[in-house]
Amino acid sequence: MSESMDSSLFDYDLPHELIAQSPVEPRDSSRLLVLPRAGDSIEHRHFRDLAELLEPEDVLVLNDTRVSARRLFGRRPSGGAVELLLMRSLGGNRYQALTRPARRLRPGERVIFDDAPEAFIEEVGEGGQRVVRFDGPLGDAGEMPLPPYFHGTLPDPERYQTVYAAEDGSSAAPTAGLHFTQELLTRIERKGVRVTRVTLHVGLDTFRPLPEGPVEKHKMHGETYTIPEETANAVRFCSGRVIAVGTTAVRVLESAGPREQMEMGQATTRLFIRPGYEFRCVEGIVTNFHLPRTTMLLMICAFAGRERVLAAYEEAKRAGYRFLSFGDAMAIL
């Protein structure tokens, strides 16, 4: 790994008006900035053109996690407002959750809801995490946890799911995949590209911001991933490029070892990819434009170079690209 780098090196100005507040339709009509991993040329395309950029024998790896987390709004017995983001079920009406305000919710405290059973704080973890037990099943209580910078509305909650979402367990969508339509995936497969899947349930590591100071001080808490046998074989015997859709798919593939030794199975990854990291598997990334000072941005900078990536971001800003979850995309090939 490289020498120490300050998180301020991965800052950039993101005008509020460039943060997408509505998804485009159809999904694959979003814009696509194509950045070669080496070289200075940038192409401005549309996401539907991705089929033209891929080659027969390439392997395209998707993350098929499905958002199942729920956000609930309640209050303490004293009347103070409380927000819970239920990230993972622990069984027995118990959940791993992020809470706001975090500091005031201690073990034994109650949270009252108008449309859900009463909750009790059982354990306190790092980064605002809590183990919460509800006094009964939740049923349909709660709402989908859209990103905090998204202030629009979604008439259809499925628009925050990828068209191939299958495995419940995620607290946020792997947003690079939101651009795909079934028709585009069919076109890609007909070209001879092998489309395959992994599962990583998006949790705290994916969206937790970097603290000020040296980036190596950032702690990854771990996210669970699964690699099916079909995917492991496709990657091991790939005679083209292995291209990951989204930073979550990158973390899975890079955590599972060199390309030629890829193994199926389930594991937990705490891999923190930052400049200086040597990629062992992934040779292309399809991704969205990320917030400043985030692990996702560091990963992209590790893959294509910090100065080149930040210069591409500036070009995207000049060209009016839409940023973040419902924004446009970038392909680094």
Side-chain angles (χ1 to χ4, degrees):
M1 197 64 72
S2 67
E3 62 185 28
S4 176
M5 303 183 78
D6 193 88
S7 62
S8 62
L9 292 172
F10 303 92
D11 204 355
Y12 70 92
D13 178 55
L14 177 57
H16 180 75
E17 60 270 20
L18 292 183
I19 300 176
Q21 296 299 320
S22 62
V24 298
E25 297 296 341
R27 292 172 181 249
D28 61 1
S29 63
S30 55
R31 298 175 71 185
L32 180 68
L33 186 150
V34 183
L35 176 68
R37 193 175 179 189
D40 297 325
S41 60
I42 287 178
E43 287 186 74
H44 297 286
R45 313 273 299 247
H46 286 90
F47 200 85
R48 58 179 173 265
D49 299 332
L50 183 63
E52 301 172 18
L53 301 172
L54 300 177
E55 301 292 342
E57 309 304 328
D58 284 345
V59 171
L60 186 70
V61 183
L62 314 173
N63 180 7
D64 67 358
T65 189
R66 182 174 179 83
V67 180
S68 61
R70 286 182 274 181
R71 176 174 279 126
L72 292 92
F73 299 92
R75 62 189 181 277
R76 302 168 70 196
S78 62
V82 173
E83 178 182 340
L84 299 184
L85 174 59
L86 308 183
M87 300 175 64
R88 182 165 61 94
S89 174
L90 302 175
N93 298 322
R94 299 169 69 247
Y95 292 83
Q96 181 189 50
L98 290 178
T99 62
R100 290 197 301 184
R103 294 181 181 178
R104 296 183 180 179
L105 291 175
R106 299 298 180 186
E109 291 214 46
R110 294 186 298 140
V111 182
I112 303 167
F113 303 92
D114 292 331
D115 56 354
E118 193 170 280
F120 299 84
I121 307 299
E122 287 194 340
E123 299 176 20
V124 175
E126 297 181 358
Q129 295 186 79
R130 298 291 187 275
V131 173
V132 180
R133 176 176 57 83
F134 288 85
D135 190 21
L138 285 179
D140 296 327
E143 60 184 45
M144 178 174 284
L146 296 173
Y149 47 75
F150 178 73
H151 305 296
T153 58
L154 286 184
D156 181 7
E158 285 297 304
R159 190 57 181 83
Y160 191 55
Q161 306 278 13
T162 63
V163 297
Y164 46 80
E167 302 295 331
D168 282 341
S170 195
S171 60
T175 54
L178 294 178
H179 306 279
F180 285 92
T181 63
Q182 291 291 0
E183 292 77 10
L184 176 57
L185 288 169
T186 298
R187 284 173 50 213
I188 288 171
E189 288 183 309
R190 286 177 176 169
K191 188 171 182 178
V193 176
R194 181 77 176 272
V195 178
T196 188
R197 304 182 181 192
V198 297
T199 304
L200 181 140
H201 294 313
V202 181
L204 183 63
D205 282 345
T206 295
F207 55 82
R208 186 164 167 256
L210 292 170
E212 293 185 1
V215 298
E216 64 269 17
K217 290 186 177 181
H218 181 75
K219 181 179 180 181
M220 304 293 276
H221 290 84
E223 292 173 317
T224 301
Y225 69 84
T226 303
I227 301 178
E229 182 178 11
E230 175 186 354
T231 299
N233 289 335
V235 171
R236 273 203 307 269
F237 300 111
C238 174
S239 58
R241 300 169 296 179
V242 175
I243 299 172
V245 175
T247 57
T248 56
V250 175
R251 288 188 68 210
V252 172
L253 296 171
E254 291 297 318
S255 297
R259 169 172 159 173
E260 298 79 9
Q261 300 173 23
M262 184 68 54
E263 294 185 1
M264 62 175 287
Q266 186 176 86
T268 297
T269 176
R270 293 179 175 82
L271 179 63
F272 179 18
I273 298 177
R274 58 188 190 269
Y277 176 84
E278 294 186 9
F279 286 80
R280 305 183 296 171
C281 178
V282 173
E283 296 161 297
I285 301 176
V286 178
T287 185
N288 279 13
F289 293 93
H290 302 291
L291 282 168
R293 299 197 189 207
T294 54
T295 59
M296 295 88 76
L297 180 58
L298 261 69
M299 177 188 293
I300 301 306
C301 289
F303 190 71
R306 184 184 71 89
E307 293 182 357
R308 295 185 64 252
V309 168
L310 293 180
Y313 270 49
E314 292 302 312
E315 172 62 20
K317 287 162 56 178
R318 285 192 293 270
Y321 277 68
R322 303 161 79 242
F323 278 56
L324 308 185
S325 294
F326 290 111
D328 296 311
M330 171 188 283
I332 307 175
L333 303 171

